[in-house]
Amino acid sequence: MRILSLNAWGGRIHNPLLKYLGSTKADILCLQEVVRTSGQPHGWLTYRDGDLRLPQRSNLFDEIRALLPAHRAQFFPVARGLLHDDYGREIWSEFGLATFVSWP
């Protein structure tokens, strides 16, 4: 049984992350710092805190779930708050833990 636990960094290294996750063949995958934003298309949002700006993949959870169709996916939000799009709009998002378990 292969178990993998990673910090997804909100998807900041999106393409290498998805490529790696698709190749690991993990039976159980546990991720922290995963973003889920209902009704928002796949793309980028920004987390703002004072001068700090962090890119966040708007629906990282859904993208990984699509990448691993043979896994059962669970999302566990630990925080809800506002992210910002390129047009200055505030978008409510969830941030948390995700688990993907291979299922026959």
Side-chain angles (χ1 to χ4, degrees), residues 34-60:
V34 175
V35 179
R36 183 174 74 173
T37 309
S38 296
Q40 183 73 13
H42 300 311
W44 293 97
L45 297 173
T46 303
Y47 170 78
R48 297 179 187 172
D49 184 12
D51 291 336
L52 179 65
R53 303 285 187 267
L54 296 174
Q56 304 286 297
R57 194 67 185 170
S58 65
N59 278 303
L60 185 58

Side-chain angles (χ1 to χ4, degrees), residues 5-22:
S5 179
L6 290 175
N7 185 323
W9 290 353
R12 286 190 305 194
I13 55 170
H14 179 257
N15 289 336
L17 175 66
L18 291 186
K19 183 176 179 181
Y20 177 70
L21 294 178

Side-chain angles (χ1 to χ4, degrees), residues 15-100:
N15 289 336
L17 175 66
L18 291 186
K19 183 176 179 181
Y20 177 70
L21 294 178
S23 70
T24 64
K25 301 191 182 345
D27 298 301
I28 299 172
L29 174 61
C30 302
L31 296 173
Q32 61 187 23
E33 294 190 22
V34 175
V35 179
R36 183 174 74 173
T37 309
S38 296
Q40 183 73 13
H42 300 311
W44 293 97
L45 297 173
T46 303
Y47 170 78
R48 297 179 187 172
D49 184 12
D51 291 336
L52 179 65
R53 303 285 187 267
L54 296 174
Q56 304 286 297
R57 194 67 185 170
S58 65
N59 278 303
L60 185 58
F61 175 73
D62 291 334
E63 290 179 285
I64 296 170
R65 183 171 51 186
L67 180 70
L68 303 172
H71 289 66
R72 283 203 171 171
Q74 284 287 169
F75 182 76
F76 307 94
V78 296
R80 290 184 176 97
L82 295 173
L83 297 179
H84 300 85
D85 68 10
D86 291 338
Y87 304 102
R89 293 180 294 207
E90 295 179 329
I91 311 290
W92 278 100
S93 297
E94 296 177 313
F95 185 80
L97 306 172
T99 302
F100 301 85

